Amino acid sequence: MHELSIVQSIIGIAEEQVRKANAKTVDAIELEIGALAGIEWEALDFAWQAGVPQTVLAHATRSIHRIPARTRCSACALEFESAEWFAPCPNCGEILGDLIQGRELRVKTLVVS
Ligand SMILES: [Zn+2]
């Protein structure tokens, strides 16, 4: 289950920030996760419950922003929201496009104290 390793790397980021700020704990954490980042929400939640106790994130308020996937058509350059990797362009039907957002997986903000 790779969600557990994702949670562990988030914990690593949080611990580093707490150390840098000379703080003790994290009050709030905001994550940005793209719709096509390959994250299963239930698995992430489960991994969070399993991994976070005893860490600096144990009492943090967590919020997650889901970023919709957007594709730019390689034929007509239209940008459109796409629910999957190879979504056809709604304007011209081309299926080869560039995914311009939707793969994000990052810590947006971290409030320490
Ligand atoms: Zn197009």
Side-chain angles (χ1 to χ4, degrees), residues 73 76 89 92:
C73 176
C76 74
C89 172
C92 71

Side-chain angles (χ1 to χ4, degrees), residues 36 69-72 82 84-85 97-103:
L36 298 180
R70 288 185 69 82
T71 298
R72 183 186 295 118
S82 45
E84 56 197 335
W85 280 96
D98 295 319
L99 196 67
I100 52 178
Q101 67 171 45
R103 275 176 294 189

